[in-house]
Amino acid sequence: MEDSAEVQTEENKVFLDVNKKRTVKTPAQVMALENFYKEHRFPSDEMKAQLAAQIRLTEKQISSWFCHRRLKDKRRDESYANGRQDHSSGVIQDRGSGLRQDSCGSIKQGDYRNVDPREVESRRIYGHDFPAADLTYERRSHQNPYNAHMEDTSSENSSSLHDQRFSESGDPYDMQISANLTQNGAITQIKPRIAKSMGYKPSGYLKVKGELENPAITAVKRQLGRHYQEDGPLLGIEFDPLPPGAFEFHSSNPVNEPIYVGDPRQDHSPDISGVLKQPNLNIINEVHNPKLSSQDSYVEDAKLNTEHGSERQDRKSHHQLKYKSSFLCSNPFPGQNSSINIYESSAGKTAVSDCKRSRMSYKPAVERMGSDSFSNQPGPYGWKIANEQEKPWLHDDDNHTYKAPKNENLSKTSNLIHGCSESQGTERGPSARMAKLEKLGGEWKPKRGYPVRENIDPTNELKVAKRVKVEFPQQNFVANASHSRLPLLTNPTKGSSMDVPSSFSEDETAETSSSLD
DNA sequence: TTGTGTTTTATTGCCTCC
DNA sequence: GGAGGCAATAAAACACAA
């Protein structure tokens, strides 16, 4: 009796020790999580289960990750608010204005007005309708320091704190984007020290966000072209007119004047033309970045789905509905084109086409997603484990991670592509991996064994699989929809922001036009 | 190579809501 | 009371400078 108990204790100890071992999620997992998080900060159980099954994590890990992710957002939010309270009055005032915001910067359920600004933003971008009240809140909440902070990585060049270096040379990421572009559409890796020399050195999460969000932001900028006021209201949203003399100075600088975006009538307005001459953005945007294609696709893909429900409105009661509408009908992994496909296509020989991979370093990685336990069908992420061509990708290759010599010249596209197609990063987060790839170049060398973790509860897995099978028969929707539906810009040199799916610009134009009317 | 700092992950306890 | 979430904490993994 006691012996068995002791044995069990020992086993538990071992089990705990094994489980307590901190593991690092693969880039694909992190990307998937990030992408999912962008749409669903509070995923339902089904979503978690689905996601867990898809990226080979436990639901607990998913929950934990989301928890920490929200916490991360919150902390960044807070730190940013503390550090940049002079940036805008919006945030601080909002926080004290009765908008209930939970400790993670997220919105507690039950108050429909308190929609997560990011979610609002995304939904707005994706064409979701919001009541006027929501838009009002959205407008204000858009001043959320987090959002502003996030945009700092991409489109802050009109910020009051904007560094002149950026205004002169353009958004660092945009610069990267454009600089990475080559004639044949492939992108070359920009050396991190370029950004670093510019004083721009996103770290950690920002690296990831820069990777994940900046393209999206840039894509929007490109789509809207000149009608984008970077520190202004949300696109297509009207502000109430400011009272006379609201600002001391005369707005001789049209940049700071609110611009109604998307109104074709203003497209040729001489008044706006001054704004249109604002530097760099267009220049940057004129350079097509194939990297954006995925994000463009993302935008369009999301926009096509106009049946998103408010996630936080009655999270539980609309659980299924929400799930079905937003998870099945839309791409729950909006970045899957850019993340998971990395793995999918990188195994093939067409890695060049997905330039998003260029800044991603990988790890044999998906070993946890072993082919033996993976479905042969393309998962929602589009990876096809059974594909022989991709097997090398999915195997750990003797548990070696590959690390290039530090001083490897990064400007070699071939190297980069190589890194893309065969890249096997470390198990560090994407941010670190990206940075590492930037630093390492395309060549990889064994570094050390990748800690294989098989902590997926088989029962859980079975349960999830079963549930997924029953509830989500369209698992491959991502692979099918996003690939088939989303047009790829085949002419990277010509493809411009205006090559974006017409649905977006049209919808956007229609919306804003109607609002002006 | 090593030390230090940062980021990420896992665990646990408490709180709130249903 | 259970479930979900947040916050605190520890520890691993990693980056980076010396």
Side-chain angles (χ1 to χ4, degrees):
Chain A
M1 198 59 167
E2 283 184 12
D3 289 344
S4 64
E6 257 187 37
V7 169
Q8 193 164 358
T9 304
E10 280 297 312
E11 287 178 350
N12 288 340
K13 206 181 289 181
V14 172
F15 178 79
L16 286 177
D17 286 343
V18 171
N19 273 1
K20 193 171 184 176
K21 182 72 173 179
R22 180 182 175 277
T23 60
V24 179
K25 293 174 176 59
T26 65
Q29 290 171 329
V30 175
M31 293 287 281
L33 287 165
E34 288 285 350
N35 289 329
F36 197 91
Y37 177 80
K38 283 197 286 188
E39 285 213 339
H40 306 280
R41 289 184 68 171
F42 293 89
S44 64
D45 288 343
E46 282 78 5
M47 290 178 177
K48 289 177 185 175
Q50 168 84 344
L51 185 58
Q54 314 264 324
I55 63 178
R56 315 301 297 175
L57 292 175
T58 64
E59 292 185 50
K60 186 176 181 178
Q61 284 178 303
I62 299 295
S63 296
S64 183
W65 187 91
F66 270 86
C67 180
H68 288 112
R69 188 63 185 75
R70 289 188 293 265
L71 193 61
K72 191 175 167 184
D73 268 359
K74 181 214 169 188
R75 285 174 180 167
R76 179 172 288 108
D77 189 357
E78 287 177 346
S79 64
Y80 189 84
N82 293 333
R84 288 187 64 172
Q85 290 190 1
D86 60 334
H87 172 66
S88 168
S89 58
V91 181
I92 306 303
Q93 289 176 354
D94 276 355
R95 293 197 160 186
S97 61
L99 287 173
R100 195 162 71 102
Q101 199 171 24
D102 71 9
S103 57
C104 266
S106 59
I107 308 302
K108 293 289 188 183
Q109 63 182 101
D111 187 349
Y112 83 95
R113 295 171 304 169
N114 298 334
V115 181
D116 176 23
R118 298 177 61 197
E119 197 151 351
V120 173
E121 170 71 2
S122 64
R123 288 178 191 170
R124 200 201 63 77
I125 293 175
Y126 304 152
H128 300 154
D129 293 333
F130 281 90
D134 287 351
L135 290 178
T136 302
Y137 169 70
E138 177 187 358
R139 251 170 18 208
R140 296 158 61 197
S141 64
H142 187 56
Q143 298 297 327
N144 184 312
Y146 175 76
N147 289 336
H149 184 60
M150 297 313 299
E151 293 197 2
D152 280 348
T153 64
S154 60
S155 60
E156 69 155 9
N157 50 356
S158 61
S159 164
S160 59
L161 298 179
H162 171 56
D163 194 323
Q164 183 65 20
R165 291 169 297 193
F166 290 172
S167 64
E168 289 175 355
S169 52
D171 181 292
Y173 268 110
D174 286 342
M175 281 187 57
Q176 280 189 302
I177 287 167
S178 54
N180 289 352
L181 203 60
T182 62
Q183 286 291 332
N184 61 355
I187 59 174
T188 59
Q189 191 68 22
I190 192 170
K191 296 178 181 180
R193 70 165 177 267
I194 295 176
K196 197 172 182 177
S197 65
M198 298 171 59
Y200 183 78
K201 186 185 176 185
S203 63
Y205 172 67
L206 280 182
K207 292 179 186 173
V208 181
K209 298 309 287 185
E211 292 291 335
L212 295 177
E213 293 194 349
N214 186 67
I217 295 170
T218 307
V220 173
K221 286 158 73 177
R222 294 176 55 189
Q223 290 171 17
L224 294 171
R226 303 171 291 187
H227 302 293
Y228 177 66
Q229 184 187 7
E230 299 195 10
D231 59 349
L234 287 179
L235 301 174
I237 297 177
E238 293 180 276
F239 273 123
D240 293 336
L242 289 172
F247 297 101
E248 288 295 329
F249 59 88
H250 240 331
S251 178
S252 59
N253 179 12
V255 175
N256 292 329
E257 292 179 358
I259 302 170
Y260 297 124
V261 298
D263 184 359
R265 293 171 299 182
Q266 294 190 2
D267 203 353
H268 309 291
S269 168
D271 292 336
I272 301 300
S273 63
V275 181
L276 304 185
K277 292 176 182 175
Q278 282 309 306
N280 293 335
L281 185 59
N282 290 335
I283 297 174
I284 294 168
N285 293 341
E286 281 173 1
V287 182
H288 171 69
N289 173 23
K291 182 176 183 176
L292 294 178
S293 61
S294 63
Q295 286 296 341
D296 291 347
S297 302
Y298 171 28
V299 172
E300 188 204 33
D301 191 40
K303 188 163 185 65
L304 287 172
N305 169 27
T306 58
E307 296 186 353
H308 257 306
S310 175
E311 177 172 358
R312 286 179 184 74
Q313 294 182 24
D314 198 356
R315 262 193 291 153
K316 302 202 172 182
S317 60
H318 295 103
H319 191 85
Q320 292 296 331
L321 175 61
K322 175 185 67 179
Y323 191 68
K324 288 182 183 299
S325 63
S326 62
F327 194 72
L328 285 177
C329 297
S330 70
N331 182 353
F333 313 107
Q336 54 86 22
N337 266 346
S338 58
S339 59
I340 307 302
N341 281 358
I342 288 166
Y343 292 88
E344 179 185 7
S345 57
S346 60
K349 312 299 181 188
T350 60
V352 183
S353 63
D354 190 350
C355 301
K356 186 129 189 168
R357 275 177 247 123
S358 61
R359 292 161 75 192
M360 187 77 177
S361 65
Y362 309 108
K363 175 148 203 297
V366 213
E367 81 265 0
R368 208 184 315 165
M369 316 170 184
S371 57
D372 51 343
S373 60
F374 240 54
S375 165
N376 285 346
Q377 299 174 354
Y381 295 97
W383 50 39
K384 303 173 216 169
I385 307 302
N387 190 332
E388 276 298 319
Q389 285 184 325
E390 295 166 3
K391 274 186 179 177
W393 241 92
L394 297 163
H395 286 291
D396 197 1
D397 199 13
D398 297 332
N399 275 341
H400 285 158
T401 56
Y402 299 90
K403 195 172 183 178
K406 278 198 170 183
N407 295 328
E408 188 80 13
N409 188 349
L410 291 174
S411 61
K412 297 178 182 177
T413 305
S414 59
N415 280 352
L416 182 67
I417 294 171
H418 174 72
C420 284
S421 59
E422 300 181 12
S423 58
Q424 318 222 338
T426 69
E427 55 274 26
R428 192 79 171 125
S431 56
R433 277 183 286 268
M434 293 169 187
K436 180 175 289 184
L437 178 60
E438 290 172 355
K439 184 171 68 177
L440 299 178
E443 190 170 340
W444 303 82
K445 68 179 181 182
K447 185 183 175 187
R448 60 178 173 75
Y450 183 76
V452 178
R453 179 169 54 100
E454 290 293 347
N455 60 347
I456 299 174
D457 184 0
T459 59
N460 176 38
E461 197 169 348
L462 287 174
K463 180 183 66 179
V464 169
K466 192 172 182 179
R467 204 185 326 173
V468 164
K469 191 173 183 179
V470 171
E471 298 182 4
F472 313 104
Q474 307 173 16
Q475 266 196 52
N476 53 352
F477 65 98
V478 171
N480 292 338
S482 59
H483 281 285
S484 59
R485 217 171 17 153
L486 304 177
L488 288 177
L489 299 177
T490 56
N491 188 352
T493 58
K494 254 310 202 198
S496 69
S497 59
M498 297 314 161
D499 288 337
V500 295
S502 58
S503 61
F504 182 87
S505 55
E506 287 175 3
D507 290 352
E508 197 69 27
T509 301
E511 281 185 8
T512 52
S513 297
S514 62
S515 68
L516 282 175
D517 294 336

